[in-house]
Amino acid sequence: GTVSENVRSPAHFLDESRYAAVTLPPEADADAEPDWVEVASGGSWAWHDHRTHWMADTPPLGVRVGDQILDDVVPLVVNGNPVEVSVVSVWEAAPSVWPSVVVGLLAAVVAAAVLIVPAWRGTGGRRVPAAVALVAAVVAATVGLWQTWSLPSETGPPISHWLLPVTAGVAALLALVWRTTPFTALAAVVVACTQLVVWAVVRRAVLEYAILPTSAPFWFDRWGTAAVAGVALVVLADAAARLVRSPGLLAR
């Protein structure tokens, strides 16, 4: 059940960079006696292998969307038995960002309407911003947890994908139900929405990538991220404006 890596192999160092942009140290020698180091004990391990992807940050010349750009084999030895992993890559078109932008704008408009209407009626107080922020946090947590659960634990999925929205949801929930001053409640909303904005910024690349590391529908991942960004920005601006307009909230 153990997995060992030859730390003298040039691949040990080259695979640390997506495009192998590293300088090999003197100990990197493919012909040297292997120096095996145990890297896993559960029978599985994940690593970056350059034979599994296109080795450039620009599209290949002379190909069109749908064309095959890579056909390689990764040879392995598992329990003494030779195994070959076939790798075939096809060039996929990048999605248009405009549907996500439209979803984000629509979500922002809806959030603004939900915040403005209670304000016109003199109701809402801290609860409406907190409730809207909580809904956005739930959507973000769903997107982030879905992605985390889709990936093998050996790949080390970043905890920020779900930790930021979960803690934002806790802050929004406290602002919604905790009996405290309006100032403290709005401050909690500001904290929650700031975390959601950071979460969306960290994940902004999902709007442009053709293939996403999740088993969720790609449109759900992209549109969920865009919607959370739009809602969080609106609620953040609203909560900050309330705090600035009503400094007396601190004493109430």
Side-chain angles (χ1 to χ4, degrees):
T2 62
V3 179
S4 297
E5 179 189 15
N6 176 19
V7 296
R8 298 198 66 181
S9 169
H12 169 72
F13 304 94
L14 295 173
D15 288 346
E16 293 179 354
S17 169
R18 178 173 177 81
Y19 300 117
V22 298
T23 300
L24 291 177
E27 62 268 24
D29 186 352
D31 298 322
E33 185 71 19
D35 182 7
W36 295 106
V37 174
E38 185 176 314
V39 293
S41 59
S44 60
W45 189 48
W47 74 97
H48 185 119
D49 197 304
H50 294 313
R51 291 166 290 185
T52 64
H53 68 92
W54 175 249
M55 283 291 292
D57 58 359
T58 55
L61 298 176
V63 299
R64 296 176 297 178
V65 172
D67 288 348
Q68 180 177 309
I69 61 172
L70 180 66
D71 185 357
D72 208 337
V73 173
V74 179
L76 303 174
V77 177
V78 181
N79 293 331
N81 300 314
V83 176
E84 290 187 346
V85 179
S86 298
V87 180
V88 176
S89 294
V90 176
W91 193 257
E92 296 283 349
S96 172
V97 300
W98 288 112
S100 299
V101 171
V102 171
V103 169
L105 291 175
L106 288 176
V109 170
V110 171
V114 172
L115 294 171
I116 291 173
V117 171
W120 281 348
R121 297 178 178 178
T123 60
R126 67 185 183 182
R127 296 187 181 277
V128 174
V132 177
L134 181 59
V135 171
V138 170
V139 173
T142 301
V143 171
L145 287 171
W146 200 332
Q147 179 177 12
T148 300
W149 291 334
S150 302
L151 301 174
S153 60
E154 293 84 359
T155 63
I159 63 173
S160 60
H161 287 318
W162 59 267
L163 184 60
L164 281 173
V166 167
T167 54
V170 171
L173 184 61
L174 288 176
L176 185 63
V177 302
W178 191 24
R179 292 188 176 182
T180 184
T181 65
F183 177 87
T184 305
L186 284 176
V189 171
V190 169
V191 171
C193 290
T194 300
Q195 290 182 254
L196 292 177
V197 170
V198 171
W199 175 84
V201 170
V202 170
R203 303 188 76 257
R204 64 188 182 279
V206 303
L207 306 183
E208 301 175 338
Y209 286 175
I211 305 297
L212 303 182
T214 180
S215 60
F218 291 168
W219 64 263
F220 177 77
D221 195 288
R222 297 188 184 105
W223 294 0
T225 301
V228 168
V231 171
L233 285 171
V234 168
V235 178
L236 178 60
D238 175 79
R242 293 183 188 220
L243 290 174
V244 171
R245 289 197 309 264
S246 306
L249 289 175
L250 180 61
R252 290 158 57 187

